[in-house]
Amino acid sequence: RQCAEEKAASGYYTVEDILGIDEVMGAGKKFMVGSKVLHDYDKENARIAKAALLILQRQQQNGETTNDNISFQRRHIGPITTEQIEEGTSHRPPCRFEEFSVKNPQGGEDGNNSITVILDVAHNPPAMEHLVAKLGATHPTKAKRFVVGFSSDKDLAKCSQLLLSIAPDPSNLHVVEASNPRAAKLEAILKAEPRLRDSNFDQKDRSITAQVKYALELTAEKDEVLVVCGSVFLMAEARKALGYDEPRDSDCISEMSGCHIKPQGQENFGNTDVEKAAMKAVSDGK
Protein backbone atom coordinates (compact mmCIF):
# COMPACT_ATOMS: atom_id res chain seq x y z
CA ARG A 1 0.00 0.00 0.00
CA GLN A 2 2.77 2.42 0.96
CA CYS A 3 4.65 1.71 -2.28
CA ALA A 4 1.49 2.25 -4.36
CA GLU A 5 0.84 5.56 -2.62
CA GLU A 6 4.44 6.73 -3.05
CA LYS A 7 4.29 5.96 -6.78
CA ALA A 8 0.80 7.44 -7.15
CA ALA A 9 -0.46 4.19 -8.63
CA SER A 10 -4.04 4.14 -9.86
CA GLY A 11 -4.70 1.02 -7.80
CA TYR A 12 -3.18 -2.06 -6.22
CA TYR A 13 -4.00 -5.59 -5.16
CA THR A 14 -3.30 -7.27 -1.83
CA VAL A 15 -2.91 -10.99 -1.27
CA GLU A 16 -6.25 -10.93 0.58
CA ASP A 17 -7.92 -9.51 -2.53
CA ILE A 18 -6.81 -12.49 -4.61
CA LEU A 19 -6.63 -15.45 -2.24
CA GLY A 20 -9.14 -14.50 0.41
CA ILE A 21 -9.02 -13.25 3.97
CA ASP A 22 -9.03 -16.73 5.53
CA GLU A 23 -5.59 -17.56 4.10
CA VAL A 24 -3.74 -14.35 4.82
CA MET A 25 -0.01 -15.15 4.93
CA GLY A 26 -0.64 -18.82 5.46
CA ALA A 27 -3.31 -19.49 8.05
CA GLY A 28 -1.98 -21.63 10.89
CA LYS A 29 1.65 -21.01 9.87
CA LYS A 30 2.53 -18.56 12.64
CA PHE A 31 5.35 -18.75 15.17
CA MET A 32 6.05 -17.03 18.46
CA VAL A 33 9.30 -15.37 19.51
CA GLY A 34 8.62 -14.13 23.01
CA SER A 35 5.45 -12.07 22.66
CA LYS A 36 6.03 -11.41 18.96
CA VAL A 37 3.95 -13.26 16.34
CA LEU A 38 5.86 -14.15 13.18
CA HIS A 39 4.47 -15.55 9.96
CA ASP A 40 6.14 -18.28 7.94
CA TYR A 41 7.99 -16.08 5.44
CA ASP A 42 8.44 -19.03 3.07
CA LYS A 43 4.68 -19.56 2.88
CA GLU A 44 4.13 -15.81 2.68
CA ASN A 45 6.47 -15.46 -0.31
CA ALA A 46 4.81 -18.40 -2.07
CA ARG A 47 1.37 -16.85 -1.56
CA ILE A 48 2.52 -13.50 -2.96
CA ALA A 49 3.87 -15.26 -6.06
CA LYS A 50 0.65 -17.26 -6.39
CA ALA A 51 -1.48 -14.12 -6.13
CA ALA A 52 0.60 -12.35 -8.78
CA LEU A 53 0.30 -15.29 -11.18
CA LEU A 54 -3.45 -15.48 -10.65
CA ILE A 55 -3.71 -11.79 -11.55
CA LEU A 56 -1.78 -12.50 -14.75
CA GLN A 57 -3.99 -15.51 -15.47
CA ARG A 58 -7.09 -13.37 -15.05
CA GLN A 59 -5.68 -10.71 -17.39
CA GLN A 60 -4.95 -13.37 -20.01
CA GLN A 61 -8.42 -14.80 -19.78
CA ASN A 62 -10.01 -11.36 -20.06
CA GLY A 63 -7.78 -10.24 -22.94
CA GLU A 64 -6.20 -7.50 -20.82
CA THR A 65 -2.57 -8.41 -21.55
CA THR A 66 -1.50 -5.42 -23.63
CA ASN A 67 2.05 -5.34 -22.33
CA ASP A 68 4.42 -6.46 -25.11
CA ASN A 69 6.26 -8.95 -22.89
CA ILE A 70 3.03 -10.49 -21.60
CA SER A 71 1.57 -10.63 -25.12
CA PHE A 72 4.69 -12.45 -26.31
CA GLN A 73 4.32 -14.94 -23.47
CA ARG A 74 0.68 -15.48 -24.32
CA ARG A 75 1.40 -16.11 -28.01
CA HIS A 76 4.46 -18.30 -27.67
CA ILE A 77 4.13 -20.04 -24.30
CA GLY A 78 0.41 -20.27 -23.89
CA PRO A 79 -1.93 -19.43 -21.02
CA ILE A 80 -1.01 -20.06 -17.40
CA THR A 81 -3.17 -22.78 -15.92
CA THR A 82 -4.23 -23.07 -12.27
CA GLU A 83 -2.44 -26.42 -12.07
CA GLN A 84 0.82 -24.83 -13.25
CA ILE A 85 0.48 -22.08 -10.66
CA GLU A 86 -0.07 -24.60 -7.86
CA GLU A 87 2.89 -26.70 -9.04
CA GLY A 88 5.24 -23.77 -9.50
CA THR A 89 4.55 -22.09 -6.17
CA SER A 90 4.83 -25.36 -4.25
CA HIS A 91 8.59 -25.58 -4.90
CA ARG A 92 11.18 -23.90 -2.70
CA PRO A 93 14.60 -22.58 -3.73
CA PRO A 94 17.61 -24.44 -2.32
CA CYS A 95 18.79 -23.40 1.14
CA ARG A 96 15.48 -21.77 2.12
CA PHE A 97 14.69 -23.94 5.13
CA GLU A 98 15.75 -26.87 2.95
CA GLU A 99 15.32 -30.01 5.05
CA PHE A 100 16.69 -33.43 4.16
CA SER A 101 18.33 -36.49 5.71
CA VAL A 102 21.91 -37.68 5.42
CA LYS A 103 23.41 -41.01 6.41
CA ASN A 104 24.50 -41.36 10.00
CA PRO A 105 28.33 -41.39 9.90
CA GLN A 106 28.40 -43.57 13.02
CA GLY A 107 26.59 -46.44 11.34
CA GLY A 108 23.14 -45.89 12.77
CA GLU A 109 23.25 -47.98 15.90
CA ASP A 110 20.06 -48.07 17.98
CA GLY A 111 18.03 -47.69 14.79
CA ASN A 112 19.13 -44.10 14.20
CA ASN A 113 20.19 -44.44 10.54
CA SER A 114 19.88 -40.84 9.38
CA ILE A 115 20.44 -37.26 10.50
CA THR A 116 18.07 -34.37 9.83
CA VAL A 117 19.86 -31.43 8.22
CA ILE A 118 18.42 -27.99 7.50
CA LEU A 119 20.09 -25.43 5.24
CA ASP A 120 18.87 -21.85 5.49
CA VAL A 121 20.45 -18.66 4.16
CA ALA A 122 19.14 -16.57 7.08
CA HIS A 123 21.83 -13.90 7.27
CA ASN A 124 20.49 -10.92 9.24
CA PRO A 125 18.56 -10.47 12.51
CA PRO A 126 15.01 -10.49 11.03
CA ALA A 127 15.72 -13.62 8.96
CA MET A 128 17.51 -15.28 11.87
CA GLU A 129 14.54 -14.50 14.11
CA HIS A 130 12.22 -16.26 11.64
CA LEU A 131 14.58 -19.22 11.40
CA VAL A 132 14.76 -19.63 15.17
CA ALA A 133 10.96 -19.44 15.43
CA LYS A 134 10.41 -21.96 12.63
CA LEU A 135 12.94 -24.38 14.11
CA GLY A 136 11.15 -24.20 17.45
CA ALA A 137 7.80 -24.89 15.79
CA THR A 138 8.90 -27.68 13.43
CA HIS A 139 11.35 -29.48 15.75
CA PRO A 140 10.17 -28.59 19.25
CA THR A 141 11.63 -31.58 21.11
CA LYS A 142 15.07 -32.03 19.55
CA ALA A 143 18.18 -30.06 20.39
CA LYS A 144 19.71 -28.09 17.53
CA ARG A 145 23.33 -27.91 16.45
CA PHE A 146 24.45 -25.04 14.22
CA VAL A 147 27.25 -24.52 11.73
CA VAL A 148 27.29 -20.77 11.26
CA GLY A 149 29.27 -18.01 9.60
CA PHE A 150 28.33 -14.48 8.58
CA SER A 151 29.05 -11.72 6.12
CA SER A 152 31.14 -8.94 7.62
CA ASP A 153 28.47 -6.26 7.10
CA LYS A 154 25.83 -8.00 9.23
CA ASP A 155 24.95 -7.53 12.90
CA LEU A 156 27.19 -10.32 14.20
CA ALA A 157 26.22 -9.87 17.84
CA LYS A 158 22.45 -9.89 17.31
CA CYS A 159 22.54 -12.87 14.91
CA SER A 160 24.69 -14.85 17.35
CA GLN A 161 22.42 -13.97 20.28
CA LEU A 162 19.37 -15.21 18.41
CA LEU A 163 21.04 -18.57 17.76
CA LEU A 164 22.06 -18.81 21.41
CA SER A 165 18.42 -18.23 22.35
CA ILE A 166 17.51 -21.62 20.88
CA ALA A 167 20.86 -23.32 21.60
CA PRO A 168 21.95 -21.80 24.93
CA ASP A 169 25.04 -24.00 25.23
CA PRO A 170 27.73 -22.45 23.00
CA SER A 171 29.20 -25.91 22.43
CA ASN A 172 26.21 -26.55 20.14
CA LEU A 173 27.52 -23.93 17.73
CA HIS A 174 30.31 -24.41 15.18
CA VAL A 175 31.69 -21.09 13.95
CA VAL A 176 33.28 -20.93 10.51
CA GLU A 177 34.78 -18.40 8.13
CA ALA A 178 33.71 -18.65 4.51
CA SER A 179 36.42 -18.33 1.87
CA ASN A 180 35.03 -15.09 0.48
CA PRO A 181 36.37 -11.55 0.92
CA ARG A 182 33.00 -10.40 2.24
CA ALA A 183 32.86 -13.08 4.94
CA ALA A 184 33.27 -12.07 8.58
CA LYS A 185 36.54 -13.12 10.14
CA LEU A 186 36.41 -15.67 12.92
CA GLU A 187 37.95 -13.16 15.33
CA ALA A 188 35.24 -10.59 14.53
CA ILE A 189 32.45 -13.05 15.28
CA LEU A 190 34.00 -14.11 18.59
CA LYS A 191 34.54 -10.48 19.59
CA ALA A 192 30.94 -9.54 18.75
CA GLU A 193 29.54 -12.30 21.00
CA PRO A 194 32.13 -13.41 23.61
CA ARG A 195 30.06 -16.45 24.62
CA LEU A 196 31.04 -17.99 21.28
CA ARG A 197 34.59 -18.38 22.60
CA ASP A 198 33.20 -21.57 24.14
CA SER A 199 31.83 -22.76 20.78
CA ASN A 200 33.52 -25.07 18.29
CA PHE A 201 36.02 -23.38 15.97
CA ASP A 202 39.54 -23.92 14.69
CA GLN A 203 41.73 -20.92 14.01
CA LYS A 204 44.12 -23.06 11.95
CA ASP A 205 41.42 -24.77 9.88
CA ARG A 206 38.55 -22.32 9.47
CA SER A 207 36.94 -24.34 6.69
CA ILE A 208 33.25 -25.05 6.53
CA THR A 209 33.95 -28.66 5.57
CA ALA A 210 35.89 -29.43 8.77
CA GLN A 211 33.16 -28.10 11.08
CA VAL A 212 30.32 -29.69 9.09
CA LYS A 213 31.96 -33.09 9.42
CA TYR A 214 32.62 -32.59 13.14
CA ALA A 215 29.07 -31.31 13.66
CA LEU A 216 27.66 -34.37 11.88
CA GLU A 217 29.49 -36.66 14.29
CA LEU A 218 28.16 -34.82 17.35
CA THR A 219 24.65 -34.54 15.88
CA ALA A 220 24.54 -38.30 15.33
CA GLU A 221 25.91 -39.01 18.79
CA LYS A 222 23.39 -36.75 20.55
CA ASP A 223 20.39 -37.27 18.23
CA GLU A 224 20.08 -33.60 17.30
CA VAL A 225 19.04 -31.57 14.25
CA LEU A 226 21.90 -30.00 12.29
CA VAL A 227 21.36 -26.49 10.89
CA VAL A 228 23.73 -24.65 8.55
CA CYS A 229 22.97 -20.93 8.33
CA GLY A 230 24.29 -17.38 8.48
CA SER A 231 25.41 -16.63 4.92
CA VAL A 232 24.88 -17.76 1.35
CA PHE A 233 28.68 -17.96 1.11
CA LEU A 234 28.63 -21.10 3.29
CA MET A 235 26.20 -23.14 1.29
CA ALA A 236 28.17 -24.49 -1.67
CA GLU A 237 30.94 -25.89 0.54
CA ALA A 238 28.45 -27.13 3.14
CA ARG A 239 26.42 -28.98 0.51
CA LYS A 240 29.57 -30.58 -0.84
CA ALA A 241 30.61 -31.67 2.67
CA LEU A 242 27.13 -33.19 3.12
CA GLY A 243 27.55 -35.32 -0.01
CA TYR A 244 26.00 -33.19 -2.75
CA ASP A 245 27.85 -33.43 -6.07
CA GLU A 246 26.84 -30.22 -7.83
CA PRO A 247 28.37 -27.74 -10.29
CA ARG A 248 30.18 -24.95 -8.49
CA ASP A 249 31.89 -21.70 -9.46
CA SER A 250 35.65 -21.88 -9.29
CA ASP A 251 37.39 -20.20 -6.36
CA CYS A 252 38.49 -17.47 -8.77
CA ILE A 253 34.93 -16.63 -9.80
CA SER A 254 33.69 -16.79 -6.19
CA GLU A 255 36.41 -14.43 -5.05
CA MET A 256 35.69 -11.90 -7.82
CA SER A 257 31.97 -12.12 -7.01
CA GLY A 258 32.69 -11.29 -3.40
CA CYS A 259 34.68 -8.23 -4.46
CA HIS A 260 31.98 -7.09 -6.90
CA ILE A 261 34.41 -7.63 -9.81
CA LYS A 262 32.81 -8.82 -13.03
CA PRO A 263 34.95 -11.08 -15.23
CA GLN A 264 35.42 -9.62 -18.72
CA GLY A 265 34.15 -11.92 -21.47
CA GLN A 266 33.19 -15.56 -21.19
CA GLU A 267 35.82 -17.40 -19.18
CA ASN A 268 36.13 -21.10 -18.45
CA PHE A 269 37.51 -21.95 -15.04
CA GLY A 270 38.36 -25.51 -14.01
CA ASN A 271 37.13 -26.56 -10.57
CA THR A 272 39.13 -29.73 -10.15
CA ASP A 273 42.84 -30.15 -9.58
CA VAL A 274 43.10 -32.12 -12.83
CA GLU A 275 41.45 -29.32 -14.82
CA LYS A 276 43.62 -26.68 -13.16
CA ALA A 277 46.76 -28.67 -13.92
CA ALA A 278 45.70 -29.07 -17.55
CA MET A 279 45.00 -25.37 -17.91
CA LYS A 280 48.38 -24.48 -16.39
CA ALA A 281 50.13 -26.87 -18.77
CA VAL A 282 48.47 -25.19 -21.75
CA SER A 283 49.32 -21.71 -20.52
CA ASP A 284 52.94 -22.78 -19.97
CA GLY A 285 53.09 -24.06 -23.54
CA LYS A 286 53.58 -27.73 -22.55
Side-chain angles (χ1 to χ4, degrees):
R1 292 185 178 92
Q2 181 180 347
C3 181
E5 292 171 359
E6 290 174 352
K7 295 181 181 297
S10 59
Y12 60 86
Y13 293 101
T14 66
V15 174
E16 302 98 297
D17 294 333
I18 308 303
L19 300 182
I21 192 68
D22 292 337
E23 297 185 82
V24 176
M25 291 188 287
K29 296 295 182 181
K30 300 176 183 178
F31 312 121
M32 297 294 296
V33 175
S35 59
K36 185 184 295 186
V37 178
L38 299 177
H39 295 277
D40 186 335
Y41 60 87
D42 212 15
K43 296 287 186 182
E44 181 179 350
N45 288 340
R47 283 178 50 75
I48 292 171
K50 181 178 178 180
L53 289 167
L54 287 171
I55 292 171
L56 179 58
Q57 180 192 55
R58 181 187 301 170
Q59 290 176 337
Q60 286 183 328
Q61 292 171 345
N62 295 339
E64 301 170 6
T65 51
T66 57
N67 179 282
D68 288 341
N69 292 329
I70 297 176
S71 297
F72 176 88
Q73 180 268 336
R74 186 180 184 190
R75 292 194 306 270
H76 297 276
I77 301 176
I80 301 172
T81 67
T82 302
E83 291 74 18
Q84 289 170 333
I85 292 174
E86 291 291 344
E87 172 69 14
T89 57
S90 67
H91 292 283
R92 299 289 175 269
C95 305
R96 268 69 171 184
F97 208 83
E98 180 183 4
E99 184 171 341
F100 54 91
S101 296
V102 298
K103 186 177 179 181
N104 188 330
Q106 299 182 357
E109 296 180 8
D110 302 324
N112 185 18
N113 297 317
S114 63
I115 297 170
T116 298
V117 178
I118 295 171
L119 304 181
D120 195 286
V121 291
H123 59 286
N124 57 30
M128 200 66 72
E129 192 173 42
H130 277 84
L131 172 62
V132 166
K134 193 167 183 177
L135 285 169
T138 55
H139 298 278
T141 61
K142 276 197 171 186
K144 287 80 179 172
R145 181 167 298 276
F146 293 90
V147 175
V148 61
F150 302 107
S151 294
S152 57
D153 60 340
K154 304 306 177 187
D155 188 335
L156 306 180
K158 182 62 175 177
C159 288
S160 300
Q161 290 160 12
L162 284 164
L163 291 180
L164 287 166
S165 72
I166 195 172
D169 186 346
S171 67
N172 271 50
L173 273 68
H174 298 250
V175 183
V176 299
E177 182 181 311
S179 57
N180 186 288
R182 292 171 58 192
K185 295 295 183 184
L186 186 58
E187 291 81 1
I189 298 173
L190 301 180
K191 182 179 180 180
E193 176 44 78
R195 284 180 291 173
L196 292 183
R197 296 185 184 278
D198 294 323
S199 66
N200 300 285
F201 59 88
D202 188 336
Q203 291 183 316
K204 292 184 178 179
D205 183 358
R206 305 177 180 217
S207 71
I208 299 159
T209 298
Q211 288 300 331
V212 166
K213 290 182 176 179
Y214 183 38
L216 277 172
E217 293 177 6
L218 293 178
T219 301
E221 179 184 319
K222 301 185 178 185
D223 191 24
E224 300 167 328
V225 174
L226 177 60
V227 183
V228 182
C229 64
S231 172
V232 68
F233 298 137
L234 274 62
M235 294 304 166
E237 186 176 341
R239 292 172 75 88
K240 184 177 180 181
L242 291 165
Y244 279 82
D245 184 15
E246 301 171 315
R248 294 178 61 191
D249 287 339
S250 69
D251 293 339
C252 180
I253 289 177
S254 297
E255 185 169 337
M256 285 192 288
S257 174
C259 293
H260 303 290
I261 300 173
K262 184 176 181 180
Q264 298 299 315
Q266 182 66 37
E267 302 286 355
N268 292 313
F269 294 87
N271 283 325
T272 68
D273 292 337
V274 174
E275 289 170 324
K276 289 178 181 177
M279 290 172 66
K280 186 176 186 303
V282 171
S283 65
D284 291 343
K286 297 179 180 178

